[in-house]
Amino acid sequence: MKHLARAAFLALFLALCAQAAPGSAQDPSFQESIFPVGPLKPVDSVLAVKVGQTAPDFTLPAINGKKVRLSDYRGVKNVVLSFVPAAWTPVCSGQWPGYAIAQNVFDKNDATLIGVTVDNIPTLYSWVKQMGGLWFPVVSDFWPHGAVAQTYGLLRSDGVSERALVLIDKQGIIRYIDVHDINTRPDLGVLVKEMGKLKE
Amino acid sequence: MKRILPIFLMILALSGVKAAQATQASEAPVSQPIAEGAPFPDLKLNGNLSADQSAYLGLPAPGKTQRLSKIKAPFVLLEVFSMYCPHCQREAPVINELYNLIAKRGLAGKIKVVGLGAGNSLDEVEIFRVKYDLLFPLFSDPNLTAHQAVGGVGTPYFYLVARDPKTGALTVKLSRLGRMASPERFLDDLVNAAGLSQEDAK
């Protein structure tokens, strides 16, 4: 009888282990891993750049081990900087997976995306890997902490950045800025229309 | 043996719990799905339908706003999705397969397939449609109005809705969260839930 009971517990243990694996490692929406953030102050910084001015240049490390310099895109491609507040948070973990399927939309507008957060490289690497990878460079504004976000006036008082989109044309001029309510996702359609205007 | 039985029952119960947690879906924080057998709201649907898609749904003219009850079919399969949900992205081609399978089994006149983009603008829905070359009509729900009306469910979520041909009243026949195991098995479930038989196929 004791043997049977032991066998049953072993079976229970194996059953649980076997099912734990697919839910965690292979689930690219990884909702269970996301830290629940409550509602936050919609905007908590003062914008330091404006439409019509040259976008402040920066060089930041990317998760592929290379460096990304904004001015390298000058004369080559329009650029959308997508600042998101932090890795592993609810809205951010939805926003970029949407951009992941929209490369053709950016290509059509001769634009690329650069994803920016104040997280460090290992964190960003793991987060993006969990998303199943992204077609655009993701850079770390970790050190000096949030320096690029600060330059653009997008660093919040708690050290994360705003959820913001900055559209920069091939001349390096800022053409559109959306410092979005941090709690909600910007409509990609609006950004697409703004990119379309650069052709005019 | 009597002592073993409860243990095995416990194993089964816990397995069920884990299986539910592993549902391939983006869970919604406050989700109250509409149960099978309950009435379904006559949703206002907004979408840029092509003439072909309007014809598919039996709608008079390609207008931007439609009512769910105006779709001329005994059953509508409504998928609640978001272009931002990776599970929905991976499910998209599978629903195309299901759409083709429904036609292949002669059920195209009985079950119509539509998608509702929860929190997605018309542009976002269009990006999703183009990306996956979707065959079925998609509607946009940017302010989550329809999403709330159907229980604020996680995505993808499937409702099979029956329409009373006389009154236009809508009733839920199948209510399910998460990706389907396969289009074949899912269609079997739909046919069973709808009470359709092989004779219905023409």
Side-chain angles (χ1 to χ4, degrees):
Chain A
M1 210 56 192
K2 265 187 182 171
H3 287 295
L4 271 175
R6 208 173 289 164
F9 275 114
L10 184 67
L12 167 67
F13 178 74
L14 289 175
L16 291 179
C17 290
Q19 283 169 357
S24 49
Q26 294 171 14
D27 174 2
S29 90
F30 52 93
Q31 296 300 313
E32 303 83 27
S33 317
I34 303 303
F35 181 74
V37 180
L40 301 169
K41 190 176 170 188
V43 174
D44 182 31
S45 64
V46 180
L47 196 60
V49 292
K50 57 177 194 275
V51 169
Q53 82 167 78
T54 300
D57 198 18
F58 61 80
T59 303
L60 286 175
I63 56 170
N64 65 0
K66 295 180 180 165
K67 300 242 180 209
V68 169
R69 186 165 72 173
L70 178 63
S71 53
D72 284 351
Y73 291 94
R74 199 80 62 88
V76 180
K77 262 186 191 301
N78 303 309
V79 176
V80 175
L81 302 179
S82 169
F83 287 88
V84 298
W88 305 107
T89 55
V91 181
C92 307
S93 297
Q95 191 175 339
W96 286 357
Y99 297 169
I101 63 163
Q103 183 175 6
N104 60 335
V105 176
F106 287 86
D107 285 348
K108 251 189 247 168
N109 289 290
D110 211 7
T112 190
L113 259 172
I114 300 175
V116 192
T117 87
V118 298
D119 299 285
N120 68 2
I121 288 283
T123 299
L124 280 176
Y125 176 86
S126 300
W127 187 46
V128 171
K129 199 166 174 153
Q130 271 282 32
M131 288 179 200
L134 294 170
W135 58 269
F136 52 89
V138 171
V139 300
S140 164
D141 188 20
F142 179 69
W143 202 258
H145 188 79
V148 172
Q150 180 82 280
T151 305
Y152 280 74
L154 295 171
L155 193 65
R156 293 169 66 97
S157 60
D158 63 354
V160 303
S161 76
E162 299 290 359
R163 185 181 311 289
L165 295 167
V166 181
L167 174 60
I168 301 159
D169 68 16
K170 287 184 194 170
Q171 283 73 49
I173 307 294
I174 297 176
R175 299 290 293 272
Y176 168 74
I177 303 170
D178 174 16
V179 184
H180 211 75
D181 176 346
I182 194 168
N183 304 293
T184 63
R185 196 178 49 221
D187 176 1
L188 182 52
V190 173
L191 178 64
V192 172
K193 285 192 185 83
E194 292 296 332
M195 288 194 288
K197 287 183 193 168
L198 300 188
K199 291 180 187 164
E200 290 162 10
Chain B
M1 209 45 207
K2 268 184 189 166
R3 281 167 58 187
I4 301 300
L5 191 63
I7 296 171
F8 276 112
L9 287 177
M10 190 169 77
I11 293 173
L12 280 176
L14 283 168
S15 302
V17 169
K18 287 305 290 181
Q21 283 172 355
T23 301
Q24 298 203 29
S26 297
E27 308 266 355
V30 190
S31 169
Q32 290 181 310
I34 302 171
E36 289 165 11
F40 195 77
D42 188 10
L43 300 175
K44 200 160 113 183
L45 298 170
N46 295 302
N48 285 330
L49 300 195
S50 67
D52 281 353
Q53 288 176 329
S54 295
Y56 165 70
L57 297 179
L59 297 169
K64 253 195 172 179
T65 306
Q66 312 285 352
R67 284 275 174 190
L68 181 59
S69 63
K70 297 291 177 206
I71 296 176
K72 285 203 179 51
F75 300 96
V76 173
L77 177 68
L78 178 88
E79 185 215 10
V80 184
F81 74 95
S82 165
M83 73 157 276
Y84 291 92
C85 149
H87 290 299
C88 306
Q89 295 172 359
R90 281 177 294 140
E91 190 74 332
V94 182
I95 302 176
N96 261 355
E97 281 180 50
L98 177 73
Y99 176 92
N100 286 327
L101 196 61
I102 288 172
K104 203 173 145 194
R105 291 207 195 160
L107 294 165
K110 302 280 181 195
I111 305 174
K112 301 293 179 184
V113 184
V114 299
L116 177 72
N120 294 173
S121 67
L122 282 168
D123 292 314
E124 289 174 328
V125 159
E126 181 63 7
I127 289 168
F128 193 70
R129 190 191 65 75
V130 170
K131 173 71 184 178
Y132 297 104
D133 202 10
L134 297 178
L135 304 165
F136 54 98
L138 300 181
F139 296 97
S140 158
D141 181 29
N143 302 319
L144 298 166
T145 314
H147 180 247
Q148 285 310 310
V150 301
V153 290
T155 52
Y157 201 97
F158 295 96
Y159 280 114
L160 181 70
V161 178
R163 175 178 171 272
D164 186 308
K166 286 178 192 159
T167 63
L170 304 170
T171 310
V172 177
K173 290 289 173 184
L174 179 138
S175 177
R176 187 180 291 179
L177 173 69
R179 298 191 58 199
M180 59 187 83
S182 76
E184 291 79 11
R185 278 174 59 186
F186 191 64
L187 183 51
D188 289 344
D189 291 349
L190 293 178
V191 166
N192 285 335
L196 291 169
S197 63
Q198 279 309 311
E199 290 80 65
D200 290 309
K202 41 178 180 177

